[in-house]
Amino acid sequence: MKDSTYKKYCLIVDEWFVNGRNGTKAYQKFTPDSSDESSAVRFNNLVRIGKVAEYIEAKNIKKANDLDITFDKQIERLNE
């Protein structure tokens, strides 16, 4: 995968995180002429690419760490 393609995919994923995880709308932001159905399929294919999936996982882990979301912390907060 070209570096420029990967960067475009990362922008789409970043939009997905920002817009409430709507893959169709995230894809359409960068390809506005794409239909809803086509955008949904293409986004689903995009997130299955290994390097993109790793990017998503890294962002999820970073956000969990930033927000201090762990199983133990959740149990502690529930007990409070």
Side-chain angles (χ1 to χ4, degrees), residues 17-36:
F17 277 106
V18 170
N19 78 8
R21 297 192 178 207
N22 184 328
T24 302
K25 296 300 178 192
Y27 193 86
Q28 285 176 331
K29 179 172 182 175
F30 297 95
T31 55
D33 294 335
S34 223
S35 70
D36 286 352

Side-chain angles (χ1 to χ4, degrees), residues 66-80:
D66 290 348
L67 296 174
D68 197 23
I69 300 172
T70 64
F71 181 74
D72 291 335
K73 284 287 185 179
Q74 293 298 332
I75 295 296
E76 183 182 312
R77 289 177 184 133
L78 287 171
N79 285 331
E80 290 173 0

Side-chain angles (χ1 to χ4, degrees), residues 4 13 26 40 45 47-48 50 57-58 65-67 72-73 79:
S4 60
V13 168
N45 290 336
V47 297
R48 290 189 173 101
E57 183 62 23
N65 288 337
D66 290 348
L67 296 174
D72 291 335
K73 284 287 185 179
N79 285 331

Side-chain angles (χ1 to χ4, degrees), residues 33-70:
D33 294 335
S34 223
S35 70
D36 286 352
E37 185 177 319
S38 174
S39 295
V41 169
R42 289 175 188 245
F43 181 80
N44 283 325
N45 290 336
L46 176 142
V47 297
R48 290 189 173 101
I49 297 170
K51 195 171 179 181
V52 176
E54 290 172 6
Y55 178 75
I56 292 169
E57 183 62 23
K59 286 191 71 83
N60 281 329
I61 290 170
K62 182 180 181 329
K63 184 54 72 180
N65 288 337
D66 290 348
L67 296 174
D68 197 23
I69 300 172
T70 64

